[in-house]
Structures are given as C-alpha cells and as structure tokens.
Amino acid sequence: MNRGRDIAAAVQGGRLDPVQLAREAAAACIASQGQLNALTVIDGARAEAEAAAIPARLAAGESLPLAGVPIVVKDNIWVGGWRITQGSMAFRDHIAPRDALCVERARKAGAVVVAIGHCPEFACKGNTRSPLHGVTHHPMDPDLTPGGSSGGNVAIVAAGAVPMSIGTDGGGSSRRPPAHCGLVGFKPSYGAIPHPFGFAEPFWWITCIAPITLDVADAALLFAAMAGPDLRDPESRMIMPLRNEDMKGFRLAWHPTLGLDAPVDSDVAEVCDRAIAALRQAGLRIAGAAPAWPAPALRSSLAAIQFAGLAALHGEAYRRDPELTDPDVAVQIEQGFAAKGTDVALGLEASQQIRRALGAFFVEHDLLLSPTTPCVAWPHAQLGPPEIGGKPVDPRGHAAFTPLFNHGQNPALSIPCGRGRDGLPVGLQIAGAVGEDYRVLTFAAEAERILAEAGLWAGLP
C-alpha cells in the first residue's frame, strides 16, 4: 500500500499521473462501499479536475508536499461546494459554502479530495452509524464497528482506497478508530490546526482537526501542511518547532490504566505490556507514573458540556421534528435541556483541573504512554461493549483513556502496537505537553520502528 509521501514524491518526479491517481482512488472508494459504507459522497470527476492542475502547479515552482495525494475528509468538515451533513437528517441538503481552513491548506499543499467520510450525527457517538447514512463496517469484520466518530475516514484508509484522511477529535474520535483498525491517528494541541470556518462546535475548547494515516511519517506530513496560526481563529497557536532530540534521554511515563479506575480487557493489556517491554529493551527509560486527576465525581460532570452544547445548537430543530434526530443523540440533547448552569460550570471546572493536572505532569515527564482503548472493536449494533475486563461498563467505557487529553488540550497520538483477540488491532497512545506536537510525532515514529522490528506490528494485511 503506497504511503502519501511516496505518492507525492512520484508525482513530483513525473512518475505518477495525478489524474490517474484520482481516478483509481475514486474507483477504489466506490468498490468499497458495498462492504464498508464508509463514505457519504464520492466525486471522481471533481477530483480528476482538481488533480489535472497539479502538473502545471509543479511546473510553476509551487511547493506541493502532498502533490496528487488522494484524501477523504470527514462529514463534519467543510469542503467548498460538496454536500457536508454532519451525519444529520437536519443537514441532509447542506452544501459547504467554502473550504475549512485545514482543507484549504491541504489542497494548497497538493492534496486532492476524492470523497467524504461518514460520521455519526454531530460526531457524537463512539460507533459510526446515523439515520442519514446507515452503518459503517469494520474493514476486517463487517459485523464490527471501526469506532467513531471518524469511523468512515478510518475504514476507507484501512481498506487501502486512500492513504490519508482528515478527521476531527473531540474525545478520541481520531485516535480510537485508528486503534481499532491498525492506523495512526493524531490529535494535535488544541489550536495547532486553526478551524475558523465550519459548523458551530458544541464541544468548546476541546475539538481538533486530526490527521489519520497509515504511519507516523504521513501523519507528520499532513499535520505540517495544515498547522500554523491564523488570525481568523483567535484560539490558534504556535507550537514548538521540530528539534533534534535524543529520545533515549526522554523522561517517559507509562500507566496501563492511565491512573484511572478503568477496566482493561486482558488481550489489550497483554499487547500493550509487550509493546512497553520492547521499548524498554530498545534502551528507552520508562517509569510507571500517571497524572493526579480530579476526583471521579468531578470528572463525571464533563459530559454536561457536550450535552448542553448539543441542546443549545440543535435542540430547537430536535424539538420541532424529533424524528429527524438519531435516538442516541436525542438522549444527549434531552440531558442538555435538563442540565443546570451549575452542571456545566462543574464540567468546565473539571476541564480546567485536567489541564492543570497534565501541565504539572509534563513538568516532570516528557511523554505519557497508555493504551489508546481498553478493548478491541465490538459489534456495530452496540454503542459500546457492555463489559470490559470482566466488569460491566457504560456505553462510554471504551473511551476511558482519550478524552482527558482533549480537555488538557495536549497532543496525543495512537499507533498500532499489536493484535488482540481475533487478530484485531490494539493501539498505544502517546501524549505530550501542549505545544510539543513534533516531540510526540518524533517519538511515535521511533516507537513505530521499534515495534515493527520486534515483530509486534507488521502493518495492515
């Protein structure tokens, strides 16, 4: 399977025709739909027209690090002139008035949009199913979910139709699905990729644009094309530049449950333990440590932020015609209506305490490692597995280890680190201090190499 950087190099060198690449990617996307149902729009003609301009742009001296690379964009990110619906019946006829800035920058770097990836309504579920577009299936087993909410983007990359995609991550949406499907998903520091143009966001100060790729080098390539501050997004930020650092000197921390009282399936625990052992065997110093998180009762108030945001933005349309809304999302909207101002305030206070806890932790440690998810993929008919580690869990039990880094605004990345039951992929999460995105990417690339040499991950079949 060709990586994005290899495709771009071949297009830059005249060895690959970008129009033919776009045509083949669109055909692969179409061929996948019967099995995966990962996409909401496929537009090969528009992609070919966009690709046709690449040779002239290169001849004119443009720098195109993503020259001719076919990409898929998630259905909650604007692509100008394309139907972008947020997986919602209420937005089924919405045509994006312009590109989101991340899409604009990816296209400026030479990427070619081929299709739109399915997500659950308003990107608010941990599986990928919506009343508007149906169910997205796991590429290894159609009875399973790839996870959510970036499940369509992940499934189509894992199936080999395109080498990279642009997702979003408001609680792990572009880390958990890659962990379930054997890909790399990178949530940057909040604001590292500006997002001034698009749908109103119900998850204040936590959602990020996120590259989803076959390996870490491609994630870094796509991230570099999209990152950098923009005055139109007052929350955009500068990040630390790429530095030549000795990774054997990194102060690494690992915790098998991220310091939380969260169950983990035995196969996931065993795979992650083997990965950590391989990293230690390679000479990396890894201590057992985790942040001092806020109390569980306070952390439980975080959900009120999401519920209230959904009710504020979409509650009026829901009450006008409840049948248009996914029943699972309707439950969240109703909880938002029931939430008091003090509930939301407690959620915001918990979020602030998480930021401070992670800030203090990264004074003492450079990077923090944990499982990305406590379980492998589960049946797509379920919001989440009913049991993990032999204990009953609520529908968000599978998401225990990812949202804290959204609230902390930290960069966090998932790499595949082995296979659990039934050969299903398992992910290792790597997180760093706010602004240290390139440190996370640099270490992740080294960890990826070590795990491959140890025989723990040989890539997708």
Side-chain angles (χ1 to χ4, degrees), residues 45-64:
R46 199 179 318 210
E48 287 183 38
E50 191 174 336
I54 297 293
R57 293 175 63 188
L58 288 168
E62 284 192 54
S63 174
L64 303 180

Side-chain angles (χ1 to χ4, degrees), residues 142-333:
D143 291 331
L144 303 181
T145 179
S149 63
S150 299
N153 288 57
V154 167
I156 199 67
V157 174
V162 295
M164 55 177 60
S165 67
I166 303 174
T168 63
D169 190 316
S173 290
S174 288
R175 282 166 286 154
R176 295 193 311 272
H180 293 316
C181 295
L183 299 182
V184 171
F186 177 47
K187 184 203 84 67
S189 295
Y190 181 76
I193 300 175
H195 193 42
F197 313 119
F199 294 112
E201 176 55 64
F203 319 135
W204 305 298
W205 308 304
I206 64 173
T207 297
C208 300
I209 301 296
I212 297 164
T213 59
L214 293 164
D215 63 12
V216 175
D218 266 9
L221 182 68
L222 182 55
F223 170 69
M226 298 188 293
D230 186 282
L231 292 176
R232 294 166 292 185
D233 181 354
E235 294 173 334
S236 64
R237 62 158 38 103
M238 295 288 295
I239 59 172
M240 294 295 291
L242 180 64
R243 307 189 295 282
N244 184 16
E245 297 185 283
D246 178 9
M247 275 164 280
K248 290 190 176 178
F250 280 175
R251 300 168 300 168
L252 304 173
W254 149 258
H255 200 287
T257 66
L258 201 58
L260 304 169
D261 183 21
V264 178
D265 279 341
S266 59
D267 59 336
V268 172
E270 290 166 8
V271 168
C272 288
D273 283 346
R274 286 196 294 270
I276 295 301
L279 296 175
R280 284 176 168 147
Q281 182 66 31
L284 301 175
R285 294 183 296 126
I286 306 176
W293 302 113
L298 184 58
R299 294 201 311 272
S300 69
S301 66
L302 292 169
I305 303 173
Q306 174 173 319
F307 300 155
L310 284 169
L313 293 177
H314 305 297
E316 183 179 341
Y318 160 69
R319 287 201 161 153
R320 194 164 53 241
D321 192 349
E323 296 301 315
L324 292 180
T325 302
D326 182 333
D328 297 322
V329 176
V331 170
Q332 298 182 48
I333 292 174

Side-chain angles (χ1 to χ4, degrees), residues 390-403:
K391 298 179 180 179
V393 295
D394 67 29
R396 293 290 293 172
H398 66 94
F401 302 142
T402 53

